[in-house]
Amino acid sequence: MRIIKLTTLIIIVSIIITSCSGNAGKKLNADNESLLLSTLYQQKSAEVVALSYQAYNIAELRLNQILEHNPYDKPLAIIVDVDETVLDNSPFEAKSILENTDYPTYWKEWCELASAKALPGAVEFLNYAATKGVEAFYITNRKVEFQAVTMKNLEKKGFPNVDNAHMLFRTIESNKEPRRQKVLQSHEIVILMGDNLNDFTDLFEANSEPERLQNVNDLKAEFGKKFIILPNATYGAWLDALTKGQPEMSKKEKLDFLTKQLESF
Ligand SMILES: [Mg+2]
């Protein structure tokens, strides 16, 4: 009898705690519902953690191979993107879902917190590279107004090369090629890491979905060699490419359009 009463009490307390905490009771607006699974995948799946370790482990293997027979005269550099490559912005996506808002709403607030977690393996790998004299350059499409808070975030997490010389933020254009060329003036770029194909080469700038696929097939030998990609199911050029050339759509129209892109049998 006492056991039954105790069990009942635990259940009641659990219900109260659950309903008072976090996001219980929040009703998702259908507009942002499509982000739910992709954000949970990024934020909660151990698979994403494993993929991140996999990416940085491969990067270390490649770096060791290169250092063993380094044919370059110039100092070596590794290019990393920031968002969803070294820093995890899934709490921003979660906020967008729960408040039914879109980028850039809350983006400034999120960046200014400077509290994004480091992606698993990133800090360790880039510090390892630093011990070998290989510098990291951070080429990101975060706007330059967020450079100081991003540097604060990177520094807090223990990343190396957190100084103005190694930060190449977005000023006038999102195409990263001119910034890669700038690094190439003084360094040999041996590895590029990103969650978006245009983190690697401008062949992927503003391409349609079939063109992107073709370019990946053409460049297949580079993946896991010079180009190392991390997973991002929540946003990116892959999603923009699906709607490329379409007229302006409401969220509902976009969802309908995307549903039609599914390949069924
Ligand atoms: Mg990114």
Side-chain angles (χ1 to χ4, degrees), residues 59-68 70 74-78 124-136 160-161 187 190:
E60 189 175 316
L61 282 172
R62 277 299 296 147
L63 185 62
N64 287 339
Q65 282 178 347
I66 293 159
L67 289 171
E68 215 172 306
N70 178 6
K74 287 195 279 187
L76 306 187
I78 293 164
E124 294 84 348
F125 168 64
L126 293 177
N127 277 298
Y128 171 74
T131 66
K132 302 287 177 188
V134 181
E135 293 164 56
N161 304 117
H187 289 72
V190 287

Side-chain angles (χ1 to χ4, degrees), residues 29-167:
N29 186 309
D31 286 349
N32 273 352
E33 232 177 57
S34 56
L35 262 179
L36 179 63
L37 285 184
S38 53
T39 300
L40 285 174
Y41 178 66
Q42 294 296 130
Q43 193 165 58
K44 297 287 188 185
S45 73
E47 283 77 1
V48 159
V49 175
L51 283 167
S52 192
Y53 282 131
Q54 181 171 274
Y56 284 103
N57 286 345
I58 290 170
E60 189 175 316
L61 282 172
R62 277 299 296 147
L63 185 62
N64 287 339
Q65 282 178 347
I66 293 159
L67 289 171
E68 215 172 306
H69 306 285
N70 178 6
Y72 305 111
D73 295 329
K74 287 195 279 187
L76 306 187
I78 293 164
I79 303 281
V80 286
D81 168 49
V82 171
D83 296 317
E84 278 49 74
T85 298
V86 298
L87 293 181
D88 167 16
N89 298 299
S90 61
F92 166 76
E93 299 299 329
K95 182 83 169 169
S96 303
I97 295 169
L98 294 167
E99 303 296 333
N100 194 33
T101 51
D102 290 306
Y103 175 86
T105 305
Y106 291 120
W107 180 244
K108 184 172 185 285
E109 288 82 348
W110 167 245
C111 290
E112 285 176 352
L113 283 175
S115 63
K117 288 183 197 161
L119 266 294
V123 173
E124 294 84 348
F125 168 64
L126 293 177
N127 277 298
Y128 171 74
T131 66
K132 302 287 177 188
V134 181
E135 293 164 56
F137 286 85
Y138 300 82
I139 300 188
T140 171
N141 277 343
R142 283 192 178 197
K143 290 180 184 167
V144 75
E145 67 193 76
F146 298 123
Q147 184 167 325
V149 288
T150 305
M151 286 170 71
K152 188 176 159 194
N153 197 155
L154 292 169
E155 202 157 40
K156 272 202 291 193
K157 295 297 164 193
F159 282 97
N161 304 117
V162 184
D163 54 50
N164 289 327
H166 293 83
M167 300 288 142

Side-chain angles (χ1 to χ4, degrees), residues 175-194:
N175 187 334
K176 294 183 171 182
E177 191 56 35
R179 285 172 277 168
R180 286 190 285 265
Q181 291 301 325
K182 194 171 172 221
V183 175
L184 276 172
Q185 285 172 10
S186 54
H187 289 72
E188 193 66 43
I189 299 171
V190 287
I191 295 171
L192 298 101
M193 304 192 70

